[in-house]
Every structure is written in structure tokens, then in C-alpha cells.
Amino acid sequence: MKIIRWVTGLIIVALFMYFNFFIIESNTLIKLINVLLFSILFVLIRVIIGRTAADRLVAVDILGVLTIGILALLGLFYNESFFMDIGLIWALLSFIATLSFAKILEGRSLDD
Amino acid sequence: MKIKTRSRLIVFLLSALVWFALTSMKNWQEVFVGLLLSLLVSLIAGQFLITTEKTKHLFLRSLAFAKYLFRFIWEMIKANFHVAYIVLHPNLPIKPGIVKVKTKLTKDSARTVLCNSITLTPGTMTVDINPDKNEIYIHWIDIVTKDYHNIDENTATISAKFEKLLKEVFE
Amino acid sequence: MINEIIGTVLICAGIAFDFFGVLGLVRLPDVYNRLQAATKCVTFGTAGILLGVLIIQGFNAFGIKCIIGIIFIFLTSPVGAHAISRAAHRAGIKLTRESIVDIYAEDKELKESSTN
């Protein structure tokens, strides 16, 4: 059972990599951004199936850090530096949101 | 100079540095607003950065910190290859559990850096700290010690390499 | 020219580690293991991407913002992981069945029984 799931995942990832790097004709940076967007799809799977609230919290935390990478690559593609401003603010807000949600999950109130 | 004044001065210099790094500094208005804002920040939240007297010369401490940084980056690269091996293996070779280690560091800043470096190095993550008994609870993804209730053995395996270096930096 | 090659290699390595971390987030069995894999790999991978962008761009406005981003990620990401794991353990989420020891829960039971 485990082996079947592993092989299925391997086939999906290999198909995506093949389409991304050999079929689509585009800039190299855009292809790299596509890989990051594909990994964000996995994070969204974890947000949807979840099981517990802490799982979803972990996924949202990771999503914030991945977004900084995407914004840096977009800034490199358009050769503009203001994308990194958005990234820094995003990191700050996502960190504060993670801490406050963890506090709520623990059962304390925010002004404790 | 009192401790609070020194801490506020350091916060002022750091926030001014960040402002001048982020703006282009074309005219005098930006410089003026930056200085004003860093003054405000250092007056409101400046006294929390440094709370104890300094013990050693700054140069020696930066040298020890550089040594710690190289060790940390090397451990971190090892940690990433370890996680990549676990994730790509079909059977997921994990043996997780929460163990306990002891620490000799007493300052809050030293403990924070120790916990952060434990979290980013191979297979371990800090869960909680007990400040009265100087104990740290650590989630370990692949326990290698035989007797996992033995605190000394766990300490020697997990945190001894950083603790020796951090003692030179902070105390 | 050499800058661009080194930067591109760093960016590719960072993206690969990001992808491994996200795979760990999907595959591993419980919250604590997921948190370990995701925090380590995604922090290191994103720092690698930012370092690659810094090497390609040089020390202009973009590069300095990348340095601030790297310092910020390294300071905040372990703190977030620590907060989530402590909150999950106190909220009563159990470890997975494969785990062999949980000294934190044992100590907590001991403390509660001694105070009562």
C-alpha cells in the first residue's frame, strides 16, 4: 500500500517536471517559479485535508515563507526592487499571525 | 553609563541603519524622518534589548560568534540532507519521541539562540523549556541513543556542541 | 557572468529544498514531524533563493533588502515552529503511534499529580 502511494506520487511529480521543463517554452525564471507554485499546491492539500487545527496552522506558516521566495524571483524577473518590500511586510505579518493563532490554539486569550 | 541608556542607544543605531538601508537617501527630508522614527522606536521599546552588564570584550565575542556561525551553517546543511533522505525514502525511516536535555546557560538571549539552533539542526526541534530546572524538551525525529531517559547522554548527543561555543559568546 | 551562474545554482538548490520540505509536510505522519521537516527545509531553501538573488543583483537596493529578509527568516521561523509545537502539545494533540517515548507528557502528569 505504501509502495503504491509512493509510486503514484513519483509519477505525478515526474509528469509535472517533464511538462514544465521540456514542453512549455518560456523563460527559465518562469519555469522555476512554476515549481514553487506546484509546491504551494501541496501545501493547500495539507490545508484542505488537515485532520487537526495545528496541521492547518503549520501549512499556513509555511505558505508565508514560500511566498517570500516567489516574490524575490518575481522581482528578479521584472528587475524591480519593490517586490522585496512586499515580501518583508508579508513575512512580518505572517509571523505575527502565526504567534497569535498559536496562542489561541493553546487556550489563552490574546492579552495574556 | 546605565544599562537602559546603552540599550536605547544600540536600538537607535540599529533602527537608523535599517532605515538607511531600505531608503535611497536622496534628500534631507528622508534622513530627518528616519532619525525621528528611530528616536521614537528607541524611546518606546529600547530598554528590552540588553538587560545585563557586559562581561567580555566585543572583539573576542564577535570572533567566537563567527566560529559558532560556521559550525551552525555546516550543521544546517547536514540537517537538510537528512530531511531530504527521510522524505524521499519509500518507508519513512522515523522513530520519533520527545526527550529531555539539560542546559548550563543562564541568560535569556543565550537560551533563545540555543533553542533556535537546536530547531534548525539535524532531526531535533525544541518543544518547551523549563526555566526553573534548566531543562529543554526536544522532539527528536530519529532517536539514536539507547536509553532515552538518560539526560546526560541526550545532552552530549544533541546540544553539547553548541553550548560550548555559545558559552564563549554570551557569558 | 560568473555571478549569474553561482546565483542560478543557489536558486535551483533552494527551490529543490523547498520542494522536499513541502513533500515532508504532506507525507509525514503527525504535527511534530511535519513541523520539523517543513521548518528546516523551507527556511534553508528560501534563504538559498534570497542569497542567489543577492549574488545576481549585487549590493544595490534589491540586494540589501534580500539580506534583511535572510536575517528575518532565520530569526523568526524557529520561533514560530516552537510556538506551534508547544500550543499543539498543550491543546492535547497526541504523537503518532510509531513514537516510542514522550517525556513531556510524563512530566506534566507527574507535576499535576504532585500538586493535587
Side-chain angles (χ1 to χ4, degrees), chain A residues 2 5-6 13 17 28-29 32-33 35-36 38-40 42-43 45-46 50-55 57-59 61-62 65-66 68-76 79-85 88 91-92 95 98-99 101-103 105-106 108, chain C residues 8 11-12 14-16 18-19 21-32 34-35 38-39 42-43 46 49-50 52-53 56-57 60-63 65-66 68-70 72-73 75-77 79-81 83-84 86-88 90-91 93 98:
Chain A
K2 248 179 185 173
R5 273 171 60 191
W6 190 74
V13 171
M17 291 293 171
T28 318
L29 273 173
L32 292 178
I33 291 174
V35 178
L36 274 180
F38 185 63
S39 41
I40 280 185
F42 278 108
V43 175
I45 290 174
R46 178 50 70 197
R51 283 291 179 78
T52 60
D55 286 322
L57 192 49
V58 174
D61 184 26
I62 295 308
V65 185
L66 279 176
I68 306 169
I70 288 183
L71 283 170
L73 287 182
L74 273 178
L76 195 62
N79 211 359
E80 293 274 358
S81 76
F82 69 84
F83 281 99
M84 210 48 220
D85 290 340
L88 287 176
L92 197 65
F95 174 61
T98 305
L99 284 190
F101 275 120
K103 213 165 185 176
L105 181 68
E106 202 176 322
R108 294 189 290 171
Chain C
T8 313
I11 288 175
C12 290
I15 287 175
D18 268 2
F19 190 68
V22 171
L23 270 185
L25 185 67
V26 173
R27 285 197 71 199
L28 288 170
D30 71 339
V31 177
Y32 309 98
R34 281 172 198 151
L35 203 50
T39 306
V42 173
T43 307
T46 307
I49 293 173
L50 291 181
V53 174
I56 289 178
Q57 285 281 329
N60 51 12
F62 202 161
K65 281 168 196 169
C66 285
I68 294 176
I70 291 175
F72 193 78
I73 288 174
L75 284 182
T76 58
S77 181
V79 178
I84 294 174
R86 197 175 79 143
R90 291 199 178 177
I93 296 169
E98 298 164 28

Side-chain angles (χ1 to χ4, degrees), chain B:
Chain B
M1 203 189 302
K2 278 164 113 179
I3 294 174
K4 272 187 183 175
T5 322
R6 216 180 65 198
S7 167
R8 283 202 172 111
L9 195 65
I10 289 175
V11 169
F12 176 74
L13 286 178
L14 277 180
S15 45
L17 197 68
V18 170
W19 177 274
F20 292 143
L22 283 179
T23 56
S24 53
M25 221 171 19
K26 291 260 170 46
N27 49 10
W28 65 271
Q29 291 169 340
E30 285 184 349
V31 177
F32 178 69
V33 172
L35 289 178
L36 206 68
L37 279 180
S38 0
L39 192 66
L40 199 66
V41 168
S42 65
L43 282 182
I44 291 173
Q47 70 267 37
F48 302 118
L49 185 66
I50 298 175
T51 48
T52 48
E53 284 288 341
K54 72 172 175 185
T55 49
K56 238 190 264 180
H57 196 264
L58 191 64
F59 178 71
L60 284 177
R61 289 173 66 179
S62 349
L63 209 66
F65 187 70
K67 221 161 89 182
Y68 159 76
L69 210 61
F70 278 113
R71 184 70 198 263
F72 172 66
I73 290 172
W74 169 242
E75 292 286 335
M76 194 163 167
I77 293 170
K78 269 201 312 197
N80 279 279
F81 280 103
H82 180 235
V83 170
Y85 165 72
I86 287 177
V87 165
L88 292 180
H89 201 283
N91 284 333
L92 290 179
I94 57 174
K95 205 167 82 175
I98 293 181
V99 299
K100 189 161 72 170
V101 303
K102 247 186 164 26
T103 176
K104 289 193 208 70
L105 302 172
T106 50
K107 285 187 186 173
D108 283 348
S109 53
R111 280 179 181 169
T112 311
V113 176
L114 179 68
C115 290
N116 279 5
S117 38
I118 283 174
T119 299
L120 289 175
T121 49
T124 50
M125 180 182 72
T126 315
V127 175
D128 202 355
I129 184 166
N130 189 347
D132 303 328
K133 291 185 185 170
N134 298 327
E135 290 166 346
I136 307 177
Y137 296 94
I138 287 177
H139 182 266
W140 201 350
I141 200 170
D142 192 7
I143 294 182
V144 294
T145 50
K146 293 262 169 33
D147 178 19
Y148 31 75
H149 285 279
N150 188 350
I151 296 178
D152 294 331
E153 199 181 345
N154 292 331
T155 310
T157 319
I158 295 174
S159 69
K161 52 197 174 198
F162 291 121
E163 216 173 300
K164 213 170 44 191
L165 291 172
L166 282 178
K167 212 168 173 56
E168 290 178 16
V169 180
F170 285 99
E171 288 171 17

